[in-house]
Amino acid sequence: MSIGNSPEDERPFEDVSDVSEEARPSVGTALRQARIAAGLTVDDVSTATRVRIAIVHAIEADNFAPCGGDVYARGHIRTLAKAVHVDPAPLLAQYDAAHGGRPAPTPAAPLFEAERIRPERRGPNWTAAMVAAIVVVVGFVGFTAFKGGSGDGDGKTQVAEGSTATTSAPAKPTPKSSKPADQKPAPSDSAIAAAPQDKVTVQVSAANGRSWISAKDHNGRMLFDGLLKKGESKTFQDSTKINLILGDAGAIQLYVNGKKIEDQFQPGAVERLTYTKGDPQVG
């Protein structure tokens, strides 16, 4: 009977690294364990992060399909990790390793430029039409008055004086009417999201890609909750304030009370924003 090590005794030493790797929890499992350790329920996490309950359940089960893509999945992982008090960086690295690496950000400059150019095609056409109509009407009235009095010999002096006043009258409004056209060669970004002064108006445009968004009024009533596809936009209006959640803030362009918001949101970042009638000066 041999008292030496048998082949079976040596097996644990061969597979230590494999067992250690297998024992490492998945992203969803790690988030679920951290939530339970923090004494939080799924409802608690959903309320704190504004991530829907169904998505929280799916992520904890390592099902990232409901997120709508890698960019959104990474944003949700980061948000949930912070809510349950764990470092999101290792979880994101683990997710990237399992899903082909971190997604490359979409270049934003051409899309912003297209958004800026679009309103310039509207507005000036109406101004030019109004100016042309005023000039035609004033010229027609002056011509009719001059021609109507030219057949009366006794009234030539009066007609001459009257025609001088009449012809000088259209000369004055002509430069005035052209002045608004010179002052407004191109409408500002407010042409995209013009809003009354007594309300807050927010336009959300998916300029750089699709993004899940949520919008509520000042009473907490849901105005919209869903996926905004690339190129689509939604406009929300309330008497006091609009509360927004952007699933991928880097894909969104905002116009608040007729003004373009220049914040540099990062791709995949989840942003929670509130705008009032005084914004964007304070927003």
Side-chain angles (χ1 to χ4, degrees):
M1 177 176 175
S2 174
I3 60 174
N5 292 333
S6 66
E8 289 78 9
D9 296 331
E10 298 177 359
R11 290 178 185 174
F13 296 95
E14 296 175 359
D15 299 328
V16 168
S17 60
D18 295 338
V19 172
S20 177
E21 186 67 24
E22 292 176 358
R24 182 181 182 183
S26 64
V27 174
T29 301
L31 289 174
R32 180 172 57 83
Q33 291 174 349
R35 173 180 59 78
I36 295 173
L40 300 173
T41 66
V42 173
D43 288 344
D44 295 334
V45 173
S46 176
T47 301
T49 63
R50 302 295 181 86
V51 178
R52 286 179 290 177
I53 293 176
I55 295 180
V56 176
H57 279 300
I59 292 175
E60 289 189 354
D62 292 307
N63 177 14
F64 300 98
C67 296
D70 290 340
V71 172
Y72 310 104
R74 296 180 87 259
H76 289 324
I77 291 172
R78 182 184 293 106
T79 301
L80 296 179
K82 291 179 180 179
V84 297
H85 313 299
V86 296
D87 184 8
L91 297 178
L92 291 173
Q94 185 177 352
Y95 176 86
D96 292 340
H99 293 81
R102 181 173 182 175
T106 303
L111 295 172
F112 286 147
E113 189 66 26
E115 188 71 20
R116 192 177 298 113
I117 292 173
R118 190 182 308 167
E120 297 179 359
R121 301 173 185 174
R122 300 181 293 183
N125 292 336
W126 289 105
T127 303
M130 292 176 63
V131 171
I134 292 173
V135 172
V136 170
V137 171
V138 173
F140 177 76
V141 171
F143 175 76
T144 303
F146 179 78
K147 187 176 181 180
S150 62
D152 213 348
D154 295 334
K156 280 186 178 181
T157 303
Q158 296 179 358
V159 170
E161 294 175 355
S163 63
T164 302
T166 304
T167 53
S168 62
K172 292 180 180 178
T174 300
K176 290 182 181 179
S177 60
S178 63
K179 198 171 184 179
D182 296 336
Q183 291 177 347
K184 297 191 296 181
S188 65
D189 292 330
S190 61
I192 297 178
Q197 296 293 328
D198 60 341
K199 295 182 179 180
V200 54
T201 302
V202 177
Q203 185 190 66
V204 183
S205 299
N208 302 325
R210 63 181 184 174
S211 174
W212 170 83
I213 67 169
S214 171
K216 294 182 179 181
D217 62 12
H218 72 282
N219 291 321
R221 183 173 62 91
M222 184 68 70
L223 301 177
F224 181 80
D225 182 21
L227 185 66
L228 202 63
K229 297 180 180 179
K230 182 177 180 180
E232 293 182 343
S233 64
K234 291 286 185 181
T235 301
F236 310 106
Q237 193 173 82
D238 187 67
S239 61
T240 305
K241 67 179 180 179
I242 296 292
N243 295 313
L244 290 177
I245 303 175
L246 308 179
D248 181 5
I252 295 300
Q253 177 62 66
L254 295 177
Y255 290 84
V256 179
N257 297 327
K259 301 294 182 181
K260 183 178 180 180
I261 302 301
E262 299 293 348
D263 290 351
Q264 298 297 322
F265 297 128
Q266 296 300 317
V270 178
E271 294 288 342
R272 293 165 183 79
L273 307 168
T274 298
Y275 292 106
T276 65
K277 290 184 289 186
D279 292 327
Q281 287 79 6
V282 298

